[in-house]
Amino acid sequence: GPHEWGACGHAHADLLSFEWFCNGSKVIVDPGTYAYKGSHASRDEIRSSQRHNTITIDNVSQSIPGDTFKWKKVAHPKRVRAKSFENIGFFEGEHDAYDSRGCGHRRALLFFGKELTVIADFITVSRHNESLLHVLQFSEGMLEHAGEHVYRFSSSRNAKSYFVGFLGTRDFVVSIRESEIYPDYNKVVPAPRIELVENDISSDHMIVTLLGDDLPILRSFRLIKGDRLAGRSASGEIEISCAAQRIDRVLINGSVVQL
């Protein structure tokens, strides 16, 4: 939705950010707000896109803070759509935050229930940029490596495990960072986050994030020729077609879901 109205005093630079609840448990969360008074730099950092579950280009926040309750530059959403079907949910949106840098970000999300969520980030590039940052902020718990570009999150709330995997059409580096969230005003809780980083952003490409509580399902997915994602879920074989920098078709056991 819009950044907000008026001076946007309570807004954050969080376009296309999301939260993920799995089987009733908080897994990937919005970091929240710590305080309105105190360090100006800290407040700006907390409400930047670098701290939210979205993508930042060249370490420049989508919207640029002014003073404590104002902004110098505001990004706007565009071409947002959502649909629901019998078996899946679908969302797609983009924004104009990096138009001036010759870079676009479109995010599509497919929800297949608790066993699988697929997030496809399409990056369009007409001018070279130095770097891309894709952040996932987790709730309280522990993150650990669980295989090639696959990570396990163990929640401190219920001792259950949840998984995240990454695929992409170009090279990237994934790191686990110590971070913090603010579940209530003036309350700080240690919580880990994942940072996926790419350098030398010079051409159109795609990043796929897979979320679920079943590790074999996540590991089953592969990118085929850079424009098809194929794997399986408990409901059967899934193939996701990506053409012209968007998801245009989903096949479940050979049956087409036209988006």
Side-chain angles (χ1 to χ4, degrees):
H3 189 67
E4 212 181 310
W5 52 270
C8 309
H10 290 275
H12 285 200
D14 58 356
L15 288 175
L16 299 184
S17 185
F18 69 97
E19 294 186 286
W20 180 48
F21 287 64
C22 185
N23 202 22
S25 297
K26 292 182 179 181
V27 184
I28 295 174
V29 299
D30 184 278
T33 292
Y34 175 62
Y36 296 117
K37 297 181 179 179
S39 168
H40 188 84
S42 175
R43 172 153 168 74
D44 286 351
E45 189 262 338
I46 288 170
R47 57 183 178 158
S48 70
S49 60
Q50 291 93 323
R51 286 297 308 274
H52 290 82
N53 303 315
T54 188
I55 281 177
T56 301
I57 300 296
D58 271 0
N59 204 34
V60 177
S61 183
Q62 294 172 349
S63 295
I64 308 299
D67 64 21
T68 305
F69 286 95
K70 291 183 180 179
W71 295 79
K72 294 179 183 177
K73 172 183 173 286
V74 170
H76 303 91
K78 56 183 182 180
R79 288 186 285 274
V80 177
R81 65 191 182 110
K83 297 177 75 174
S84 60
F85 304 87
E86 182 179 353
N87 298 317
I88 65 174
F90 172 73
F91 166 86
E92 182 185 69
E94 56 188 301
H95 57 74
D96 65 2
Y98 300 113
D99 285 4
S100 63
R101 307 185 74 85
C103 197
H105 174 208
R106 178 185 296 121
R107 169 165 280 178
L109 185 149
L110 285 164
F111 176 68
F112 296 91
K114 70 172 186 176
E115 65 187 27
L116 179 66
T117 297
V118 178
I119 300 162
D121 288 301
F122 300 98
I123 311 302
T124 56
V125 182
S126 62
R127 197 176 79 219
H128 176 267
N129 287 272
E130 295 294 330
S131 65
L132 175 153
L133 172 67
H134 171 18
V135 166
L136 295 179
Q137 175 64 63
F138 288 79
S139 185
E140 306 102 304
M142 183 179 70
L143 268 172
E144 58 185 336
H145 191 242
E148 184 177 7
H149 296 318
V150 177
Y151 298 83
R152 176 188 288 106
F153 173 71
S154 301
S155 173
S156 62
R157 290 176 174 266
N158 58 19
K160 293 183 179 180
S161 292
Y162 308 91
F163 299 93
V164 54
F166 299 101
L167 298 168
T169 55
R170 55 156 296 162
D171 293 339
F172 55 82
V173 176
V174 179
S175 303
I176 297 173
R177 304 290 188 191
E178 291 301 319
S179 185
E180 57 190 30
I181 58 175
Y182 317 101
D184 204 352
Y185 191 65
N186 277 331
K187 182 178 181 180
V188 181
V189 176
R193 76 170 179 249
I194 281 178
E195 293 183 357
L196 182 152
V197 173
E198 296 178 350
N199 293 309
D200 187 24
I201 313 304
S202 55
S203 60
D204 295 356
H205 63 283
M206 175 175 63
I207 304 166
V208 175
T209 305
L210 302 163
L211 307 170
D213 65 356
D214 189 317
L215 183 56
I217 287 178
L218 262 66
R219 284 180 168 162
S220 74
F221 278 83
R222 296 289 183 271
L223 272 175
I224 303 170
K225 297 182 179 179
D227 63 1
R228 282 186 296 147
L229 181 69
R232 60 173 180 79
S233 71
S235 56
E237 299 297 318
I238 294 174
E239 183 175 306
I240 301 168
S241 174
C242 305
Q245 289 295 99
R246 65 182 348 118
I247 292 177
D248 65 340
R249 191 179 65 170
V250 176
L251 284 81
I252 302 177
N253 290 326
S255 298
V256 177
V257 178
Q258 198 68 47
L259 302 179

